[in-house]
Amino acid sequence: MLKSDLDKEDGNLEYILAGEGAGSFFYIDKYTGKIYVKQKLDREKKPFYILTAKAINRSTQLPVEPDSEFIIKVRDINDNEPQFLDGPYVATVPEMSPEGTSVTQVTATDADDPSYGNSARLLYSLVEGQPYFSVEPKTGVIRMASEMDRETKDQYLVIIQAKDMVGQPGAFSATATVTINLSDINDNPPEFQQRLYYMSVSEEAPVGTTVGKVFAEDRDIGDNAAMDYFIEADSSDVFNIITNDETQEGIILLKKRVDYESKRRYSIQVKAVNRRIDERFLKEGPFEDTTIVKINVEDADEPPVFTLENYVMETFEGAMRGTLVGVVTARDPDDDESPVRYSIVHSSHLKRLFSINEHNGAIITTEPLDREIASWHNITVTATETRNPEKISEANVYVQVLDVNDNAPEFSKNYETFVCENAVSGQIIQTISAVDKDDSAEGHHFYFSFAQEDSNSSHFTVKDNQGKSGFSRQEQFFFYLPILIQDNGTPPLTSTNTLTVTVCDCDTEVNTFYCRYGAFMYSLGLSTEALVAVLACILIFLVFFLAIVTIRPQQQKKTPFSEKIEEFRENIVSYDDEGGGEEDTEAFDISALRTRTVMRTHKPRKKVASEIQSLYRQSLQVGPDSAIFRQFISEKLEEANTDPSVPPYDSLQTYAFEGTGSLAGSLSSLGSNTSDMDQSYDYLADWGPHFKQLAGLYSSHRTVGD
């Protein structure tokens, strides 16, 4: 209720309410100032409201005093139930945990006002889960109430109740379910379900064969159930056991071959032990268990067995065909003792050097052996049961071929021996050595000497020679010395090896290169002078060849007729013959060098041969400035311009002046166009021996022409 100090209760004042909830949640009696709730309020939605009150004069509508602000608080009542907002709950705790071990904590919330009354004060209790678990009433912490075994039950459902009003009558409540799982610990040892196992294995089974399986059960799970198996009390060490990590089974394997005829039954003790042991439970006993496994060996038809896995035999090389090398023996290990047949496994690409008696296993040679070709032979022998040919076994036979002195010694290499012409008596010219393909237990010792029939032995000795000294290359260039070499074998063998001695042109020291060169020339039958001449010819030929290679590119330079080069550059006619001179117009067709577009009109050639010859002879007696000489040049130029056989288009012909004073006269071919009838060549015979061949050619030509 609001009341102004100026209110005289005469009805002159009017109260007005404004602010939060005014008109909706609250209204005011304008005459008395009483405030009423218009509808239900929810503290959880809005716990308080801020309002403003006014008092005005009804007549003037003016406030009689300032506005007054006030707060209306909503008082809480217990109208909300507790709630578990984090559910559902799942917790895990190790099995066999001691009493009081904390498992998890649950928490409920209440929307009521915790600061007013007991509406939001909660109390927790256990509805379901006794006697294994307990809960703290105020905190909601769940604890173990007793030790529990996972192998008995591994999961529990616990129901927790939360009540407000501290559990008083009329309080609201809520429940939550907590799933509690028990985790495993290694609190159980492995146990064999069978105290005695029976297994069997064939005597034919190879090493590694699975004989059988054993299994020890462990109530634990995961790593706590992991175990290892061991074999105890097996002095024979015939079997082995491994653990299958997926199935936790023990797999018994054959470690050694078994033999029915030797031992028919085995008894072994197998132990299973946990890998991880919790020391808290050791007092309850060892975490292991044992069982007995009896294994019977089954009889089988076995292949023959050799007395030895590998045989080593010896025989001398060169022994005649059919020589006994050795004997192999095999027998049938079964009770019936079937007869055995022997054979040799031959390779198709190898020569058969041995054979075997199929009844008694005697190995003999089929041909003489050579130790120098092969000192060892590897043979594979098979033994087969006659009653069951599928039963076959093999053995290796190694045959060593013993050495016999059947190879004569020989030079260790090809010797090149040189000696100077002026070698003195007693001079060492060569040290020789020998090799022997045979094998000597005492080591090889060789004896060297000259063959008795050697005619050159007077010049040389293997030790000392007091006879002749010095040699003559003109008399004998090579000496061939037969050297007799004897070994220390039994019986000793000898061989004759030829040592070639080359006589060199020297005094004391031999120049090996020069001496080889001289020997090579001697074998070709050439002297040093002849070889020098041959080399000189080769050198001249090379120089001539290089000159041609150098000049040729210069001849291939661009022609001065560049403006018409495309007209005739492909029309090249090559003549290797000498030709007959300027009057020989029948030797080739000059028209092949011309193109149709620039072919000149043929003009008849002037008969100027005799005139030019006359001018030519006169020009020999005058100088280049003479009128006769100029007339000669003009005539030649005119001839070139009118002659259709000259090179195409315009050309410049330059004639150098030959000079005067030659007693023999001119050799120029300018006058060669004159006939043989007009010119005599007899004067060539007077020019001496250097022109003898030329004079003969022209004289013979004149004779033929006549």
Side-chain angles (χ1 to χ4, degrees):
M1 178 177 176
L2 299 178
K3 188 174 181 63
S4 173
D5 293 338
L6 301 178
D7 188 2
K8 297 179 180 181
E9 297 183 359
D10 55 3
N12 292 327
L13 294 181
E14 180 180 351
Y15 294 96
I16 299 174
L17 186 65
E20 295 178 343
S24 57
F25 289 99
F26 305 98
Y27 70 93
I28 191 170
D29 187 342
K30 59 183 179 179
Y31 297 106
T32 62
K34 293 182 178 180
I35 300 174
Y36 298 92
V37 176
K38 195 173 183 179
Q39 57 177 312
K40 288 184 178 182
L41 301 177
D42 190 353
R43 189 203 66 83
E44 286 70 37
K45 292 183 178 179
K46 192 171 181 63
F48 61 90
Y49 295 86
I50 301 175
L51 299 171
T52 302
K54 294 181 180 181
I56 62 175
N57 189 292
R58 284 179 177 270
S59 301
T60 62
Q61 294 294 315
L62 296 175
V64 295
E65 62 177 283
D67 295 346
S68 178
E69 184 179 83
F70 61 94
I71 297 175
I72 298 178
K73 292 184 178 181
V74 182
R75 182 179 296 175
D76 184 43
I77 63 173
N78 189 19
D79 60 345
N80 289 282
E81 297 178 354
Q83 291 183 348
F84 290 94
L85 301 179
D86 298 330
Y89 295 90
V90 178
T92 302
V93 63
E95 64 172 329
M96 304 304 291
S97 295
E99 182 180 350
T101 301
S102 175
V103 178
T104 186
Q105 182 179 15
V106 295
T107 303
T109 60
D110 195 318
D112 294 327
D113 188 1
S115 63
Y116 178 78
N118 295 323
S119 299
R121 295 180 63 186
L122 304 178
L123 189 67
Y124 298 94
S125 62
L126 192 64
V127 178
E128 184 178 337
Q130 299 89 351
Y132 308 108
F133 302 95
S134 64
V135 62
E136 293 182 357
K138 294 182 180 182
T139 62
V141 175
I142 302 174
R143 297 185 182 274
M144 300 286 292
S146 63
E147 292 184 354
M148 290 175 288
D149 189 4
R150 186 202 64 84
E151 287 71 34
T152 302
K153 187 177 182 181
D154 61 353
Q155 189 179 79
Y156 294 85
L157 296 178
V158 178
I159 298 177
I160 303 296
Q161 183 186 62
K163 273 187 175 184
D164 58 11
M165 298 294 291
V166 199
Q168 296 177 4
F172 292 106
S173 65
T175 58
T177 301
V178 181
T179 302
I180 301 177
N181 298 312
L182 297 182
S183 61
D184 185 57
I185 62 173
N186 190 13
D187 58 341
N188 294 281
E191 294 181 3
F192 284 102
Q193 301 303 308
Q194 294 178 234
R195 291 301 169 186
L196 183 62
Y197 288 85
Y198 291 97
M199 301 178 183
S200 61
V201 62
S202 173
E203 63 177 341
E204 285 185 323
V207 173
T209 300
T210 299
V211 179
K213 298 178 181 180
V214 296
F215 178 68
E217 184 179 359
D218 194 322
R219 298 175 64 192
D220 297 321
I221 60 174
D223 293 338
N224 294 318
M227 66 189 75
D228 292 318
Y229 293 89
F230 303 94
I231 292 180
E232 295 181 335
D234 181 20
S235 58
S236 62
D237 198 24
V238 176
F239 303 96
N240 187 24
I241 190 168
I242 61 174
T243 304
N244 186 329
D245 292 331
E246 294 182 359
T247 63
Q248 294 300 314
E249 292 178 315
I251 303 174
I252 300 176
L253 304 175
L254 190 62
K255 189 176 181 180
K256 293 182 180 179
R257 294 288 297 271
V258 293
D259 185 11
Y260 176 82
E261 288 72 27
S262 300
K263 189 173 182 179
R264 303 184 180 184
R265 186 174 292 104
Y266 293 87
S267 179
I268 61 176
Q269 181 174 311
V270 177
K271 180 171 66 174
V273 181
N274 273 140
R275 293 178 185 174
R276 298 182 178 182
I277 299 177
D278 194 334
E279 296 181 356
R280 294 178 298 172
F281 304 98
L282 283 177
K283 59 184 179 180
E284 299 180 5
F287 281 73
E288 60 184 41
D289 195 15
T290 58
T291 187
I292 302 299
V293 179
K294 294 185 178 295
I295 303 174
N296 294 324
V297 179
E298 298 177 348
D299 188 22
D301 190 4
E302 299 177 88
V305 178
F306 284 93
T307 56
L308 296 175
E309 293 183 2
N310 299 298
Y311 293 85
V312 179
M313 303 177 181
E314 296 179 346
T315 185
F316 285 98
E317 67 172 326
M320 65 177 57
R321 181 177 180 273
T323 300
L324 177 65
V325 178
V327 178
V328 297
T329 304
R331 68 174 186 86
D332 184 8
D334 299 321
D335 293 338
D336 57 358
E337 293 186 357
S338 172
V340 176
R341 183 176 67 253
Y342 301 94
S343 63
I344 293 179
V345 179
H346 293 285
S347 299
S348 58
H349 62 284
L350 296 179
K351 192 174 184 181
R352 299 184 179 185
L353 302 176
F354 303 92
S355 64
I356 190 171
N357 189 305
E358 66 176 8
H359 301 293
N360 58 20
I363 300 175
I364 61 175
T365 60
T366 58
E367 62 179 63
L369 305 177
D370 190 352
R371 189 200 68 84
E372 286 71 39
I373 296 177
S375 59
W376 284 89
H377 296 274
N378 300 334
I379 306 173
T380 301
V381 178
T382 62
T384 307
E385 287 188 13
T386 56
R387 297 174 186 172
N388 187 0
E390 294 182 356
K391 301 300 178 180
I392 303 174
S393 59
E394 294 182 350
N396 296 320
V397 179
Y398 305 100
V399 180
Q400 182 182 13
V401 183
L402 301 178
D403 186 47
V404 174
N405 192 24
D406 58 347
N407 289 278
E410 58 186 11
F411 280 154
S412 60
K413 63 179 182 179
N414 294 325
Y415 290 98
E416 284 186 309
T417 304
F418 304 96
V419 63
C420 292
E421 281 186 302
N422 299 328
V424 298
S425 176
Q427 179 179 337
I428 297 177
I429 62 172
Q430 183 67 61
T431 300
I432 59 177
S433 61
V435 293
D436 195 328
K437 295 181 180 179
D438 294 321
D439 188 16
S440 176
E442 302 176 356
H444 288 294
H445 298 283
F446 303 108
Y447 305 95
F448 301 89
S449 62
F450 282 122
Q452 297 296 329
E453 68 277 4
D454 181 28
S455 60
N456 293 322
S457 61
S458 59
H459 293 276
F460 303 93
T461 178
V462 294
K463 287 185 178 180
D464 188 15
N465 183 18
Q466 301 299 330
K468 297 180 181 181
S469 63
F471 304 91
S472 175
R473 298 172 75 246
Q474 286 73 20
E475 295 179 2
Q476 190 170 355
F477 201 93
F478 297 103
F479 288 88
Y480 302 98
L481 306 181
I483 305 297
L484 191 66
I485 307 176
Q486 178 179 319
D487 60 16
N488 61 335
T490 304
L493 296 181
T494 60
S495 66
T496 302
N497 297 262
T498 301
L499 180 67
T500 302
V501 181
T502 304
V503 179
C504 302
D505 185 12
C506 58
D507 294 332
T508 56
E509 296 183 0
V510 177
N511 188 322
T512 304
F513 174 78
Y514 179 75
C515 203
R516 284 199 187 102
Y517 160 74
F520 174 74
M521 296 303 300
Y522 181 82
S523 61
L524 295 179
L526 297 176
S527 63
T528 303
E529 292 78 5
L531 181 63
V532 171
V534 172
L535 294 176
C537 293
I538 295 175
L539 181 60
I540 293 173
F541 175 76
L542 291 176
V543 172
F544 179 72
F545 177 76
L546 292 175
I548 293 178
V549 172
T550 304
I551 294 174
R552 178 170 295 178
Q554 298 178 1
Q555 294 179 346
Q556 296 178 351
K557 290 182 178 179
K558 185 177 180 181
T559 175
F561 306 107
S562 57
E563 67 279 0
K564 297 296 183 177
I565 187 66
E566 64 276 8
E567 298 292 343
F568 59 88
R569 61 183 176 183
E570 295 181 356
N571 299 326
I572 299 176
V573 181
S574 175
Y575 295 92
D576 294 332
D577 54 329
E578 184 176 348
E582 292 184 357
E583 287 190 347
D584 187 4
T585 59
E586 302 298 330
F588 61 91
D589 186 6
I590 195 64
S591 62
L593 299 178
R594 298 182 180 272
T595 59
R596 295 181 179 180
T597 57
V598 296
M599 182 66 72
R600 295 180 179 179
T601 304
H602 179 72
K603 299 180 180 180
R605 187 174 180 179
K606 296 172 62 178
K607 299 298 183 179
V608 296
S610 58
E611 297 177 10
I612 292 176
Q613 180 181 9
S614 176
L615 291 173
Y616 165 72
R617 293 185 179 277
Q618 295 180 32
S619 66
L620 295 177
Q621 307 299 326
V622 297
D625 296 332
S626 174
I628 298 176
F629 185 85
R630 288 195 298 271
Q631 183 181 359
F632 168 73
I633 294 299
S634 300
E635 292 292 340
K636 292 298 293 180
L637 181 59
E638 178 64 17
E639 179 186 10
N641 291 335
T642 58
D643 193 349
S645 62
V646 298
Y649 314 112
D650 296 336
S651 64
L652 176 63
Q653 297 184 1
T654 302
Y655 298 90
F657 182 67
E658 290 187 359
T660 59
S662 175
L663 298 177
S666 176
L667 295 180
S668 174
S669 61
L670 293 177
S672 60
N673 58 345
T674 58
S675 64
D676 292 337
M677 295 297 295
D678 300 332
Q679 186 172 356
S680 175
Y681 299 95
D682 294 339
Y683 58 88
L684 295 175
D686 300 332
W687 289 359
H690 294 290
F691 297 92
K692 181 178 180 181
Q693 186 175 2
L694 185 61
L697 290 174
Y698 275 86
S699 299
S700 61
H701 178 69
R702 182 178 181 81
T703 303
V704 173
D706 294 339

